[in-house]
Amino acid sequence: MHELSIMQGALNQALCEARQSGARRIHEIHLRIGVLSGVVPDALQFAFEAIAAGTPAEGAALTIENVPARFWCAACEREFEAANFFAECPGCHACGGELRAGRELELTSVVID
Amino acid sequence: MCEHCGCGLPGAEPVTISDHHHEHEHEHEHAHSHDHDHPHEHSHGHEHDESAAAGEERRTIEVRRAILEKNNLLAERHRGFFRARGLLVLNILSSPGSGKTTLIEETIRRLESRLKTGVIVGDLATDNDARRLRASGAPVVQINTGTVCHLDSQMVGGALKQLDLTGLQLLIIENVGNLVCPASYDLGEDLRVVLLSVTDGEDKPLKYPPIFQSANAAVISKLDLAEACDFNRDMALANLRRLAPAAEVFELSAKTGQGMEAWCDYVLQQHQAAKTRDPLSV
């Protein structure tokens, strides 16, 4: 994945929020990234450091919360967690459960002054 | 729509940020090898001094918005537009060279008298695909992304303005050849069609789970080369079933015509269903 443009998108949103609040600086940016989103947190961190320079977010802390993947098995009527796309229902071992969480790419909050 | 983050509010000119559609620095991404499969712990950025400076009053703004929200909103807007026009829209995805353009050429040729079709095709450079497709008589718009590795709804929107939509019943979007990034970008399509050519290998679905998992239809292409490649059909079908058990699977050769009728029938069927669907249904 191209973490640079994803991070750019998140930074743009954060700067927009900050501007609308009349903020001087952004101190923290909080993201929620699903483990199946295809986006690697370390790469986002690297990208952030590169692009935040010269913006009101320069020097801000980037915090990434990893969201585990959760699937729904219709046959067993249960939700289960898994680490990858090949998730087997622990009850019936069928694949292809409906993915309910784990692909998030979310700007959760920003801390400003 | 705010052009920077897609929110509904107008914005003043912000600080200098390079427009990601024009300047890409992809080089440093490829310098790292990343293991995508293991979950990460919290990764924190810089250490920073929490003590507030004089007059500094920090507050938290809860945002809770998808980073790709701008694309998602535009995709839904396009989706509404397509539905109101009774247009069936396909997003064709695959590795480079798996046969997307040939499949589209042959589909247009076979459906000529039955479905008026238009095409939007994305490549980094050249209009080779557009020229080939135009020879079939269909209206075609070529998007050159420069260095961007996927199509997004903003690009599709730009292409739609150039496409003659008069009487169109089917719109085929040929995405940039890439099994990774296009998976994340909704284009407002009705159906995601992912191609797997026999030369790609039967384990491709396992290697690129997100895109195959998102498929509504999977097409095994270049069937005429199966023997020469020692293609393991059973394994390919099992792998597709594992990632996308609800996807319709087609096996075909656009070159020889084998399997093309079943594929074209499917497209016609889907168009019928699209025509009778309530445009306001979710």
Side-chain angles (χ1 to χ4, degrees), chain B residues 28-78:
Chain B
H28 59 263
E29 283 172 56
H30 297 291
H32 301 265
S33 60
H34 291 285
D35 180 357
H36 279 239
D37 279 337
H38 59 269
H40 290 263
E41 299 310 309
H42 281 234
S43 56
H44 286 263
H46 323 258
E47 295 297 291
H48 66 106
D49 188 356
E50 295 266 3
S51 60
E56 183 186 283
E57 228 183 67
R58 295 188 183 189
R59 48 192 184 95
T60 301
I61 306 173
E62 289 291 317
V63 180
R64 297 208 175 262
R65 280 162 60 194
I67 296 169
L68 294 181
E69 183 189 66
K70 181 180 174 188
N71 185 77
N72 294 344
L73 289 176
L74 196 50
E76 282 301 335
R77 188 182 288 184
H78 288 163

Short mmCIF file of all heavy atoms in Angstrom, two decimals, chain B residues 28-78:
data_model
loop_
_atom_site.label_atom_id
_atom_site.label_comp_id
_atom_site.label_asym_id
_atom_site.label_seq_id
_atom_site.Cartn_x
_atom_site.Cartn_y
_atom_site.Cartn_z
N HIS B 28 10.77 6.03 -1.58
CA HIS B 28 11.15 5.52 -0.27
C HIS B 28 10.21 4.45 0.24
O HIS B 28 10.57 3.69 1.10
CB HIS B 28 11.35 6.63 0.74
CG HIS B 28 10.12 7.45 0.95
ND1 HIS B 28 9.92 8.63 0.31
CD2 HIS B 28 9.04 7.24 1.73
CE1 HIS B 28 8.75 9.12 0.69
NE2 HIS B 28 8.19 8.31 1.55
N GLU B 29 9.02 4.36 -0.31
CA GLU B 29 8.15 3.26 0.13
C GLU B 29 8.77 1.93 -0.23
O GLU B 29 8.71 0.98 0.50
CB GLU B 29 6.80 3.34 -0.56
CG GLU B 29 5.91 4.40 0.01
CD GLU B 29 4.68 4.54 -0.87
OE1 GLU B 29 4.00 3.54 -1.08
OE2 GLU B 29 4.46 5.65 -1.36
N HIS B 30 9.34 1.86 -1.42
CA HIS B 30 9.84 0.58 -1.88
C HIS B 30 11.18 0.22 -1.26
O HIS B 30 11.66 -0.89 -1.41
CB HIS B 30 9.95 0.57 -3.41
CG HIS B 30 8.61 0.74 -4.04
ND1 HIS B 30 7.65 -0.23 -3.98
CD2 HIS B 30 8.05 1.79 -4.68
CE1 HIS B 30 6.56 0.22 -4.59
NE2 HIS B 30 6.77 1.42 -5.01
N ALA B 31 11.78 1.15 -0.57
CA ALA B 31 13.06 0.85 0.06
C ALA B 31 12.88 -0.05 1.27
O ALA B 31 13.80 -0.64 1.78
CB ALA B 31 13.76 2.13 0.46
N HIS B 32 11.63 -0.14 1.77
CA HIS B 32 11.39 -0.98 2.94
C HIS B 32 10.70 -2.25 2.51
O HIS B 32 9.87 -2.24 1.65
CB HIS B 32 10.45 -0.27 3.92
CG HIS B 32 10.99 1.03 4.40
ND1 HIS B 32 11.69 1.17 5.57
CD2 HIS B 32 10.92 2.26 3.85
CE1 HIS B 32 12.03 2.43 5.70
NE2 HIS B 32 11.58 3.12 4.69
N SER B 33 11.05 -3.33 3.16
CA SER B 33 10.22 -4.50 2.93
C SER B 33 9.38 -4.68 4.18
O SER B 33 9.88 -4.66 5.30
CB SER B 33 11.08 -5.73 2.68
OG SER B 33 11.89 -5.97 3.79
N HIS B 34 8.08 -4.79 3.96
CA HIS B 34 7.21 -4.86 5.13
C HIS B 34 6.51 -6.20 5.15
O HIS B 34 6.07 -6.70 4.14
CB HIS B 34 6.15 -3.77 5.07
CG HIS B 34 6.71 -2.40 5.25
ND1 HIS B 34 7.11 -1.93 6.46
CD2 HIS B 34 6.95 -1.43 4.37
CE1 HIS B 34 7.57 -0.70 6.30
NE2 HIS B 34 7.48 -0.37 5.05
N ASP B 35 6.38 -6.74 6.30
CA ASP B 35 5.58 -7.94 6.45
C ASP B 35 4.16 -7.48 6.79
O ASP B 35 3.94 -6.89 7.83
CB ASP B 35 6.16 -8.79 7.58
CG ASP B 35 5.36 -10.06 7.79
OD1 ASP B 35 4.34 -10.25 7.10
OD2 ASP B 35 5.75 -10.84 8.62
N HIS B 36 3.25 -7.74 5.91
CA HIS B 36 1.91 -7.20 6.14
C HIS B 36 1.09 -8.04 7.09
O HIS B 36 0.01 -7.65 7.47
CB HIS B 36 1.15 -7.12 4.80
CG HIS B 36 1.52 -5.89 4.04
ND1 HIS B 36 0.62 -4.94 3.67
CD2 HIS B 36 2.70 -5.46 3.60
CE1 HIS B 36 1.25 -4.00 3.01
NE2 HIS B 36 2.51 -4.27 2.95
N ASP B 37 1.56 -9.21 7.42
CA ASP B 37 0.66 -10.12 8.11
C ASP B 37 0.64 -10.07 9.62
O ASP B 37 -0.29 -10.56 10.23
CB ASP B 37 0.95 -11.58 7.68
CG ASP B 37 0.29 -11.87 6.35
OD1 ASP B 37 -0.69 -11.18 6.01
OD2 ASP B 37 0.77 -12.75 5.64
N HIS B 38 1.66 -9.51 10.24
CA HIS B 38 1.59 -9.61 11.69
C HIS B 38 1.01 -8.34 12.30
O HIS B 38 1.31 -7.25 11.88
CB HIS B 38 2.94 -9.95 12.30
CG HIS B 38 4.01 -8.95 12.00
ND1 HIS B 38 4.82 -9.05 10.92
CD2 HIS B 38 4.40 -7.84 12.66
CE1 HIS B 38 5.67 -8.06 10.92
NE2 HIS B 38 5.43 -7.29 11.96
N PRO B 39 0.15 -8.53 13.28
CA PRO B 39 -0.45 -7.33 13.91
C PRO B 39 0.62 -6.57 14.69
O PRO B 39 1.53 -7.16 15.23
CB PRO B 39 -1.51 -7.89 14.85
CG PRO B 39 -1.24 -9.35 14.96
CD PRO B 39 -0.30 -9.76 13.87
N HIS B 40 0.47 -5.27 14.70
CA HIS B 40 1.46 -4.43 15.37
C HIS B 40 0.94 -3.97 16.71
O HIS B 40 -0.25 -3.78 16.89
CB HIS B 40 1.76 -3.19 14.53
CG HIS B 40 2.51 -3.52 13.29
ND1 HIS B 40 3.87 -3.40 13.19
CD2 HIS B 40 2.09 -3.99 12.09
CE1 HIS B 40 4.24 -3.77 11.98
NE2 HIS B 40 3.19 -4.12 11.30
N GLU B 41 1.82 -3.75 17.61
CA GLU B 41 1.45 -3.11 18.87
C GLU B 41 1.30 -1.63 18.59
O GLU B 41 1.58 -1.15 17.51
CB GLU B 41 2.56 -3.32 19.92
CG GLU B 41 2.80 -4.78 20.24
CD GLU B 41 1.51 -5.51 20.56
OE1 GLU B 41 0.73 -5.02 21.41
OE2 GLU B 41 1.26 -6.55 19.95
N HIS B 42 0.87 -0.88 19.62
CA HIS B 42 0.78 0.57 19.47
C HIS B 42 2.14 1.09 19.04
O HIS B 42 3.16 0.73 19.61
CB HIS B 42 0.48 1.22 20.83
CG HIS B 42 -0.97 1.11 21.20
ND1 HIS B 42 -1.72 2.19 21.52
CD2 HIS B 42 -1.79 0.05 21.25
CE1 HIS B 42 -2.95 1.79 21.79
NE2 HIS B 42 -3.02 0.50 21.63
N SER B 43 2.16 1.91 18.05
CA SER B 43 3.44 2.53 17.70
C SER B 43 3.31 4.02 17.94
O SER B 43 2.42 4.65 17.43
CB SER B 43 3.82 2.23 16.26
OG SER B 43 2.79 2.65 15.40
N HIS B 44 4.15 4.52 18.78
CA HIS B 44 4.07 5.94 19.13
C HIS B 44 5.07 6.74 18.34
O HIS B 44 6.12 6.23 17.98
CB HIS B 44 4.34 6.14 20.62
CG HIS B 44 3.18 5.70 21.44
ND1 HIS B 44 2.24 6.57 21.90
CD2 HIS B 44 2.79 4.47 21.85
CE1 HIS B 44 1.32 5.89 22.59
NE2 HIS B 44 1.63 4.63 22.57
N GLY B 45 4.72 7.96 18.08
CA GLY B 45 5.61 8.86 17.33
C GLY B 45 6.65 9.46 18.24
O GLY B 45 7.21 8.81 19.11
N HIS B 46 6.84 10.72 18.05
CA HIS B 46 7.89 11.40 18.83
C HIS B 46 7.52 11.47 20.28
O HIS B 46 6.35 11.52 20.64
CB HIS B 46 8.04 12.83 18.36
CG HIS B 46 7.86 12.97 16.89
ND1 HIS B 46 8.92 13.11 16.04
CD2 HIS B 46 6.75 12.96 16.12
CE1 HIS B 46 8.46 13.21 14.81
NE2 HIS B 46 7.16 13.13 14.81
N GLU B 47 8.50 11.52 21.11
CA GLU B 47 8.26 11.87 22.51
C GLU B 47 7.98 13.37 22.48
O GLU B 47 8.62 14.10 21.73
CB GLU B 47 9.53 11.65 23.33
CG GLU B 47 9.94 10.18 23.39
CD GLU B 47 8.87 9.35 24.08
OE1 GLU B 47 8.68 9.50 25.29
OE2 GLU B 47 8.24 8.53 23.39
N HIS B 48 7.04 13.83 23.20
CA HIS B 48 6.87 15.28 23.23
C HIS B 48 6.58 15.73 24.63
O HIS B 48 6.07 14.99 25.47
CB HIS B 48 5.81 15.75 22.24
CG HIS B 48 4.43 15.28 22.56
ND1 HIS B 48 3.48 16.11 23.07
CD2 HIS B 48 3.84 14.08 22.45
CE1 HIS B 48 2.36 15.43 23.26
NE2 HIS B 48 2.55 14.20 22.88
N ASP B 49 6.92 16.94 24.88
CA ASP B 49 6.81 17.52 26.22
C ASP B 49 5.35 17.80 26.51
O ASP B 49 4.71 18.61 25.84
CB ASP B 49 7.64 18.81 26.25
CG ASP B 49 7.74 19.37 27.66
OD1 ASP B 49 7.10 18.79 28.57
OD2 ASP B 49 8.44 20.35 27.83
N GLU B 50 4.78 17.07 27.46
CA GLU B 50 3.36 17.23 27.74
C GLU B 50 3.04 18.50 28.50
O GLU B 50 1.91 18.91 28.56
CB GLU B 50 2.86 16.04 28.58
CG GLU B 50 2.91 14.71 27.84
CD GLU B 50 1.59 14.39 27.18
OE1 GLU B 50 0.67 15.22 27.25
OE2 GLU B 50 1.47 13.31 26.59
N SER B 51 4.05 19.11 29.12
CA SER B 51 3.73 20.26 29.96
C SER B 51 3.32 21.43 29.07
O SER B 51 3.99 21.75 28.10
CB SER B 51 4.92 20.64 30.82
OG SER B 51 6.01 20.95 30.00
N ALA B 52 2.19 22.02 29.36
CA ALA B 52 1.67 23.09 28.52
C ALA B 52 2.51 24.34 28.67
O ALA B 52 2.89 24.71 29.76
CB ALA B 52 0.23 23.38 28.91
N ALA B 53 2.77 24.96 27.55
CA ALA B 53 3.50 26.23 27.59
C ALA B 53 2.53 27.30 28.06
O ALA B 53 1.32 27.07 28.09
CB ALA B 53 4.03 26.55 26.20
N ALA B 54 3.05 28.46 28.40
CA ALA B 54 2.18 29.52 28.90
C ALA B 54 1.10 29.85 27.88
O ALA B 54 1.39 30.02 26.70
CB ALA B 54 3.02 30.76 29.18
N GLY B 55 -0.17 29.89 28.31
CA GLY B 55 -1.27 30.27 27.43
C GLY B 55 -1.74 29.15 26.52
O GLY B 55 -2.68 29.30 25.77
N GLU B 56 -1.11 27.99 26.59
CA GLU B 56 -1.48 26.91 25.69
C GLU B 56 -2.56 26.05 26.35
O GLU B 56 -2.39 25.53 27.44
CB GLU B 56 -0.22 26.06 25.44
CG GLU B 56 -0.43 24.93 24.46
CD GLU B 56 0.82 24.08 24.39
OE1 GLU B 56 1.77 24.52 23.73
OE2 GLU B 56 0.84 23.00 25.01
N GLU B 57 -3.70 25.93 25.68
CA GLU B 57 -4.78 25.14 26.26
C GLU B 57 -5.14 24.07 25.27
O GLU B 57 -5.75 24.35 24.24
CB GLU B 57 -5.98 26.06 26.48
CG GLU B 57 -6.60 25.93 27.85
CD GLU B 57 -7.83 26.81 27.95
OE1 GLU B 57 -8.82 26.53 27.26
OE2 GLU B 57 -7.75 27.80 28.71
N ARG B 58 -4.79 22.85 25.58
CA ARG B 58 -5.00 21.80 24.61
C ARG B 58 -6.39 21.25 24.70
O ARG B 58 -6.93 21.10 25.78
CB ARG B 58 -4.01 20.67 24.86
CG ARG B 58 -2.60 21.12 24.61
CD ARG B 58 -1.68 19.96 24.66
NE ARG B 58 -0.30 20.41 24.49
CZ ARG B 58 0.73 19.60 24.33
NH1 ARG B 58 0.53 18.30 24.31
NH2 ARG B 58 1.94 20.08 24.18
N ARG B 59 -6.97 20.95 23.56
CA ARG B 59 -8.22 20.21 23.60
C ARG B 59 -8.23 19.17 22.49
O ARG B 59 -7.51 19.27 21.50
CB ARG B 59 -9.44 21.12 23.52
CG ARG B 59 -9.41 22.13 22.46
CD ARG B 59 -10.51 23.17 22.62
NE ARG B 59 -10.42 24.04 21.47
CZ ARG B 59 -11.12 23.90 20.36
NH1 ARG B 59 -12.04 22.95 20.29
NH2 ARG B 59 -10.95 24.71 19.33
N THR B 60 -9.08 18.18 22.73
CA THR B 60 -9.17 17.06 21.80
C THR B 60 -10.39 17.24 20.92
O THR B 60 -11.48 17.51 21.42
CB THR B 60 -9.32 15.73 22.59
OG1 THR B 60 -8.19 15.60 23.43
CG2 THR B 60 -9.40 14.55 21.63
N ILE B 61 -10.18 17.12 19.63
CA ILE B 61 -11.33 17.12 18.70
C ILE B 61 -11.57 15.68 18.29
O ILE B 61 -10.68 15.03 17.75
CB ILE B 61 -11.02 17.94 17.43
CG1 ILE B 61 -10.56 19.35 17.78
CG2 ILE B 61 -12.23 17.99 16.52
CD1 ILE B 61 -10.09 20.13 16.58
N GLU B 62 -12.77 15.17 18.59
CA GLU B 62 -13.13 13.83 18.14
C GLU B 62 -13.49 13.94 16.67
O GLU B 62 -14.37 14.72 16.29
CB GLU B 62 -14.37 13.33 18.92
CG GLU B 62 -14.09 13.00 20.37
CD GLU B 62 -13.21 11.77 20.50
OE1 GLU B 62 -13.44 10.78 19.78
OE2 GLU B 62 -12.28 11.82 21.33
N VAL B 63 -12.84 13.17 15.83
CA VAL B 63 -13.09 13.26 14.40
C VAL B 63 -13.85 12.03 13.91
O VAL B 63 -14.93 12.11 13.38
CB VAL B 63 -11.77 13.43 13.61
CG1 VAL B 63 -12.04 13.52 12.12
CG2 VAL B 63 -11.01 14.65 14.12
N ARG B 64 -13.28 10.87 14.11
CA ARG B 64 -13.89 9.59 13.75
C ARG B 64 -14.36 9.56 12.29
O ARG B 64 -15.50 9.21 12.02
CB ARG B 64 -15.05 9.24 14.69
CG ARG B 64 -14.56 9.07 16.11
CD ARG B 64 -15.43 8.13 16.93
NE ARG B 64 -14.80 7.94 18.23
CZ ARG B 64 -14.03 6.91 18.54
NH1 ARG B 64 -13.81 5.95 17.67
NH2 ARG B 64 -13.47 6.82 19.73
N ARG B 65 -13.46 9.94 11.41
CA ARG B 65 -13.81 9.89 9.99
C ARG B 65 -12.84 9.00 9.25
O ARG B 65 -11.65 8.98 9.55
CB ARG B 65 -13.80 11.29 9.38
CG ARG B 65 -15.09 12.04 9.69
CD ARG B 65 -14.90 13.50 9.50
NE ARG B 65 -14.52 13.80 8.13
CZ ARG B 65 -14.03 14.97 7.75
NH1 ARG B 65 -13.86 15.93 8.62
NH2 ARG B 65 -13.70 15.17 6.51
N ALA B 66 -13.37 8.27 8.26
CA ALA B 66 -12.50 7.42 7.45
C ALA B 66 -11.53 8.30 6.67
O ALA B 66 -11.92 9.33 6.12
CB ALA B 66 -13.34 6.59 6.48
N ILE B 67 -10.27 7.89 6.64
CA ILE B 67 -9.26 8.65 5.90
C ILE B 67 -9.60 8.68 4.42
O ILE B 67 -9.34 9.65 3.72
CB ILE B 67 -7.86 8.05 6.14
CG1 ILE B 67 -7.50 8.19 7.62
CG2 ILE B 67 -6.82 8.71 5.26
CD1 ILE B 67 -6.27 7.41 8.03
N LEU B 68 -10.22 7.62 3.95
CA LEU B 68 -10.60 7.58 2.53
C LEU B 68 -12.03 8.06 2.33
O LEU B 68 -12.66 7.75 1.31
CB LEU B 68 -10.43 6.15 1.99
CG LEU B 68 -9.01 5.65 1.94
CD1 LEU B 68 -8.96 4.24 1.35
CD2 LEU B 68 -8.12 6.58 1.13
N GLU B 69 -12.52 8.82 3.31
CA GLU B 69 -13.90 9.28 3.25
C GLU B 69 -14.21 10.07 1.99
O GLU B 69 -15.27 9.91 1.39
CB GLU B 69 -14.17 10.15 4.48
CG GLU B 69 -15.60 10.63 4.58
CD GLU B 69 -15.74 11.64 5.68
OE1 GLU B 69 -15.15 12.73 5.56
OE2 GLU B 69 -16.43 11.34 6.67
N LYS B 70 -13.27 10.89 1.59
CA LYS B 70 -13.50 11.71 0.40
C LYS B 70 -13.81 10.82 -0.79
O LYS B 70 -14.75 11.03 -1.54
CB LYS B 70 -12.26 12.56 0.14
CG LYS B 70 -12.38 13.47 -1.06
CD LYS B 70 -11.09 14.28 -1.22
CE LYS B 70 -11.14 15.09 -2.52
NZ LYS B 70 -9.87 15.73 -2.81
N ASN B 71 -12.99 9.78 -0.96
CA ASN B 71 -13.25 8.86 -2.06
C ASN B 71 -14.56 8.12 -1.88
O ASN B 71 -15.33 7.94 -2.84
CB ASN B 71 -12.10 7.85 -2.21
CG ASN B 71 -12.32 6.97 -3.43
OD1 ASN B 71 -12.09 7.40 -4.56
ND2 ASN B 71 -12.80 5.77 -3.23
N ASN B 72 -14.83 7.68 -0.65
CA ASN B 72 -16.05 6.90 -0.42
C ASN B 72 -17.30 7.73 -0.70
O ASN B 72 -18.27 7.24 -1.27
CB ASN B 72 -16.08 6.39 1.02
CG ASN B 72 -14.97 5.38 1.27
OD1 ASN B 72 -14.38 4.85 0.34
ND2 ASN B 72 -14.66 5.13 2.53
N LEU B 73 -17.28 9.01 -0.28
CA LEU B 73 -18.43 9.88 -0.51
C LEU B 73 -18.66 10.12 -2.00
O LEU B 73 -19.79 10.06 -2.49
CB LEU B 73 -18.24 11.23 0.19
CG LEU B 73 -18.33 11.22 1.71
CD1 LEU B 73 -18.02 12.60 2.27
CD2 LEU B 73 -19.71 10.76 2.17
N LEU B 74 -17.56 10.36 -2.69
CA LEU B 74 -17.68 10.60 -4.13
C LEU B 74 -18.14 9.33 -4.84
O LEU B 74 -18.96 9.38 -5.77
CB LEU B 74 -16.32 11.06 -4.66
CG LEU B 74 -16.29 11.72 -6.03
CD1 LEU B 74 -17.33 12.82 -6.13
CD2 LEU B 74 -14.89 12.27 -6.30
N ALA B 75 -17.65 8.19 -4.39
CA ALA B 75 -18.06 6.92 -4.99
C ALA B 75 -19.56 6.71 -4.83
O ALA B 75 -20.24 6.27 -5.76
CB ALA B 75 -17.30 5.75 -4.35
N GLU B 76 -20.08 7.03 -3.65
CA GLU B 76 -21.52 6.86 -3.43
C GLU B 76 -22.31 7.84 -4.28
O GLU B 76 -23.39 7.51 -4.79
CB GLU B 76 -21.88 7.04 -1.96
CG GLU B 76 -21.56 5.82 -1.10
CD GLU B 76 -22.27 4.55 -1.56
OE1 GLU B 76 -23.34 4.62 -2.20
OE2 GLU B 76 -21.72 3.45 -1.31
N ARG B 77 -21.78 9.01 -4.44
CA ARG B 77 -22.46 9.99 -5.30
C ARG B 77 -22.53 9.47 -6.73
O ARG B 77 -23.56 9.54 -7.39
CB ARG B 77 -21.70 11.32 -5.24
CG ARG B 77 -22.43 12.45 -5.95
CD ARG B 77 -21.64 13.71 -5.91
NE ARG B 77 -21.63 14.30 -4.57
CZ ARG B 77 -21.07 15.48 -4.30
NH1 ARG B 77 -20.46 16.17 -5.25
NH2 ARG B 77 -21.09 15.95 -3.08
N HIS B 78 -21.42 8.91 -7.19
CA HIS B 78 -21.40 8.35 -8.54
C HIS B 78 -22.34 7.16 -8.64
O HIS B 78 -23.03 6.97 -9.65
CB HIS B 78 -19.98 7.92 -8.91
CG HIS B 78 -19.07 9.07 -9.17
ND1 HIS B 78 -17.70 8.96 -9.18
CD2 HIS B 78 -19.33 10.38 -9.45
CE1 HIS B 78 -17.16 10.15 -9.44
NE2 HIS B 78 -18.13 11.02 -9.60
#
